[in-house]
């Protein structure tokens, strides 16, 4: 087999959804008439409207990426410097970095072993007089125990900012997940269920929050002669917004196709001793963003890393996601002790996310499952 065939046959862990080229060209055509390429043009305004409706949220603002929506949302809440934010380390770097980059202190709570979201029964033990907010993550699109979190937030007067990067288009008890908490932030990165190439959004209820977020993403400029606050620049440009408008037309179909892939995986891996699949949440309309498998080597017979290597050999790209946990990052060495969240640490050392995207062929899913099952001892 030549190198190129090998390359072509390789199954990547994800493959970005992208609308047909003709559709995108049609969508961006009028940018050549107006020369309006960024600064909240018509594409930006349309996408903002369409996403507000699609996600079923009150207010939504667009950002250059998901991370800036998280980082600026925390900043917009004007929390006291040095304040503690209760969060989990079983997440992407962005969540923890957003806290630290705001001069706030992450306090790591452990996760629930079934859905990998924050364990609500452990939140209160982390609360001190310095606690200012809770920042939970809907890991793999599994929705956090929102009532439990809100009850604690109300009792201690804490803000709640959800990292909803994995939860695009999901509903929790019939309501858009973007309505949860004070603010919910989505990522529209190319690898996510819905993408704008790079992009993100913050969803919120308070219009005052909207004007602060707007200031923060556009230098605090109110008019050419009035700069009211020290803002950053995190505007979504028109080409990204245009990609979003196109991709949004196809996203329901993309999620349906992901569902087929997830069901195929389940039909082959469900009930295999030593393989824990993602919990199915009854009150959630899922988006099938990821297909995580937890490998317990003392039952299955081989380790996560051995399976990862075997898949690599077959040209199948799986991902150790999330590994390591953020509290074990080099940049935080000496600051946190990863052992303090034993469940998160264990899951990070045993999890493998298998390839998952809308166009993944079911025969390829079969081949992936066969490769995994060959490793059973
Ligand atoms: C992707 C992701 C982000 C950051 O989003 P970007 O758009 O890549 O900046 C934040 N949190 C989680 C959990 C993510 O997966």
């Amino acid at each position: 087999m030549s190198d190129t065939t090998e390359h072509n046959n390789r199954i990547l862990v994800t493959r970005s959804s992208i609308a047909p080229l003709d559709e995108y060209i049609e969508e961006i055509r009028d940018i050549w008439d107006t020369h309006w390429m960024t600064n909240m043009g018509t594409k930006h305004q349309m996408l903002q409207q369409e996403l507000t409706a699609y996600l079923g949220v009150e207010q939504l603002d667009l950002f250059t990426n998901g991370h800036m929506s998280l980082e600026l949302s925390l900043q917009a809440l004007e929390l006291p410097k040095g304040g503690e934010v209760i969060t989990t380390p079983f997440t992407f770097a962005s969540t923890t970095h957003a806290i630290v980059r705001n001069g706030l202190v992450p306090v790591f709570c452990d996760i629930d072993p079934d859905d990998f979201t924050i364990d609500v029964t452990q939140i209160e033990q982390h609360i001190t007089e310095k606690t200012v907010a809770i920042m939970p993550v809907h890991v793999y699109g599994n929705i956090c125990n929102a009532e439990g979190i809100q009850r604690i937030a109300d009792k201690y007067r804490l803000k709640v900012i959800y990292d909803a990067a994995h939860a695009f288009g999901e509903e929790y008890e019939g309501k858009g997940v973007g309505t949860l908490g004070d603010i919910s932030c989505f990522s529209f990165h190319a690898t996510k269920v819905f993408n704008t190439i790079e992009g993100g959004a913050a969803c919120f209820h308070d219009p005052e929050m909207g004007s602060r977020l707007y200031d923060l993403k556009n230098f605090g400029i109110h008019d050419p002669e009035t700069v009211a606050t020290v803002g950053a620049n995190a505007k979504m440009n028109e080409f990204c917004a245009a990609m979003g408008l196109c991709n949004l037309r196809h996203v329901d179909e993309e999620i349906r196709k992901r569902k087929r892939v997830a069901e195929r995986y389940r039909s082959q891996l469900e009930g295999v001793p030593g393989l824990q699949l993602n919990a199915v949440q009854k009150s959630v309309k899922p988006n099938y963003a990821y297909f995580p498998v937890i490998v317990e080597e003392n039952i299955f017979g081989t380790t996560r890393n051995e399976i990862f290597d075997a898949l690599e050999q077959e040209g199948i790209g799986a991902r150790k996601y999330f590994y390591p946990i953020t509290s074990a990052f080099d940049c935080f060495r000496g600051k946190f002790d990863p052992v303090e969240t034993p469940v998160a640490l264990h899951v990070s050392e045993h999890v493998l996310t298998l390839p998952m995207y809308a166009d993944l062929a079911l025969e390829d899913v079969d081949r992936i499952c066969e490769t995994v099952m060959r490793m059973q001892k």
Side-chain angles (χ1 to χ4, degrees):
M1 201 191 287
S2 77
D3 278 358
T4 46
T5 358
E6 213 166 332
H7 180 77
N8 289 341
N9 283 345
R10 196 176 150 75
I11 303 173
L12 301 174
V13 69
T14 188
R15 189 159 181 266
S16 300
S17 297
I18 186 164
L21 179 59
D22 293 351
E23 210 180 308
Y24 186 62
I25 290 172
E26 208 39 57
E27 190 64 56
I28 62 174
R29 194 175 295 282
D30 47 356
I31 298 177
W32 267 260
D33 302 330
T34 61
H35 287 219
W36 193 291
M37 293 189 273
T38 186
N39 283 22
M40 285 63 82
T42 51
K43 307 292 174 196
H44 184 289
Q45 291 167 34
M46 276 167 66
L47 185 63
Q48 188 174 6
Q49 272 176 25
E50 291 193 15
L51 282 174
T52 305
Y54 184 88
L55 296 171
V57 295
E58 281 173 57
Q59 319 238 8
L60 173 149
D61 204 359
L62 297 170
F63 291 85
T64 183
N65 55 55
H67 177 78
M68 288 313 283
S69 72
L70 278 174
E71 187 172 318
L72 298 183
S73 288
L74 270 177
Q75 194 178 347
L77 289 167
E78 299 178 344
L79 304 166
K81 288 278 174 274
E84 294 175 354
V85 179
I86 298 174
T87 185
T88 57
F90 190 69
T91 183
F92 185 56
S94 175
T95 325
T96 307
H97 286 3
I99 297 169
V100 175
R101 289 173 57 81
N102 268 289
L104 300 163
V105 180
V107 172
F108 293 110
C109 181
D110 212 349
I111 58 170
D112 181 300
D114 293 325
D115 65 18
F116 322 116
T117 67
I118 195 164
D119 181 348
V120 275
T121 67
Q122 294 193 43
I123 294 177
E124 280 191 272
Q125 71 200 45
H126 293 289
I127 292 176
T128 71
E129 67 281 6
K130 287 192 183 154
T131 309
V132 291
I134 308 174
M135 195 154 175
V137 185
H138 300 308
V139 179
Y140 306 133
N142 296 333
I143 302 305
C144 301
N145 179 341
E147 290 93 9
I149 291 166
Q150 199 56 53
R151 215 172 300 126
I152 295 167
D154 291 344
K155 183 167 161 194
Y156 296 94
R157 297 168 163 273
L158 306 174
K159 299 291 182 192
V160 182
I161 308 97
Y162 280 102
D163 183 336
H166 291 184
F168 184 84
E170 295 193 312
E171 288 175 4
Y172 182 64
E173 291 177 344
K175 279 171 65 181
V177 295
T179 60
L180 299 173
D182 293 282
I183 310 180
S184 284
C185 295
F186 292 96
S187 163
F188 308 145
H189 184 258
T191 55
K192 302 295 196 311
V193 168
F194 165 76
N195 83 76
T196 61
I197 309 170
E198 292 253 16
C203 306
F204 44 91
H205 312 277
D206 179 8
E208 164 99 14
M209 182 56 55
S211 42
R212 276 195 228 143
L213 277 172
Y214 190 91
D215 275 354
L216 287 173
K217 81 167 186 181
N218 189 31
F219 304 105
I221 296 174
H222 284 193
D223 66 57
E225 298 187 8
T226 318
V227 180
T229 60
V230 188
N233 176 10
K235 307 181 298 284
M236 180 183 285
N237 70 58
E238 292 291 278
F239 289 87
C240 289
M243 181 64 88
L245 288 169
C246 294
N247 284 341
L248 192 57
R249 294 179 201 125
H250 301 277
V251 75
D252 288 337
E253 177 63 18
E254 294 288 291
I255 292 172
R256 269 196 295 278
K257 285 157 99 183
R258 283 174 176 273
K259 179 170 193 248
R260 286 170 58 243
V261 173
E263 283 170 352
R264 189 72 158 217
Y265 271 127
R266 271 192 188 278
S267 73
Q268 312 213 19
L269 300 178
E270 188 117 66
V272 175
L275 297 185
Q276 178 196 335
L277 305 188
N278 201 22
V280 175
Q281 296 183 305
K282 286 198 188 64
S283 43
V284 175
K285 183 181 136 208
N287 64 6
Y288 311 96
Y290 299 90
F291 201 88
V293 176
I294 315 292
V295 182
E296 298 297 349
E297 69 266 14
N298 50 352
I299 305 171
F300 190 73
T302 40
T303 64
R304 179 270 305 266
N305 288 350
E306 287 167 327
I307 298 174
F308 178 87
D309 292 342
L311 289 166
E312 274 296 313
Q313 292 261 311
E314 289 286 318
I316 298 164
R319 197 171 162 200
K320 300 170 192 176
Y321 190 65
F322 301 105
Y323 174 82
I325 52 176
T326 65
S327 54
F329 283 178
D330 287 352
C331 57
F332 299 133
R333 186 149 293 161
K335 290 216 172 76
F336 310 109
D337 187 357
V339 178
E340 281 174 6
T341 54
V343 178
L345 187 60
H346 180 90
V347 174
S348 76
E349 286 169 347
H350 293 78
V351 70
L352 205 55
T353 56
L354 298 177
M356 166 54 87
Y357 48 89
D359 289 326
L360 183 60
L362 297 183
E363 303 80 72
D364 284 336
V365 176
D366 295 345
R367 189 154 75 80
I368 296 162
C369 293
E370 278 159 27
T371 308
V372 171
M373 291 309 296
R374 265 208 306 279
M375 300 299 288
Q376 191 182 26
K377 295 229 171 75

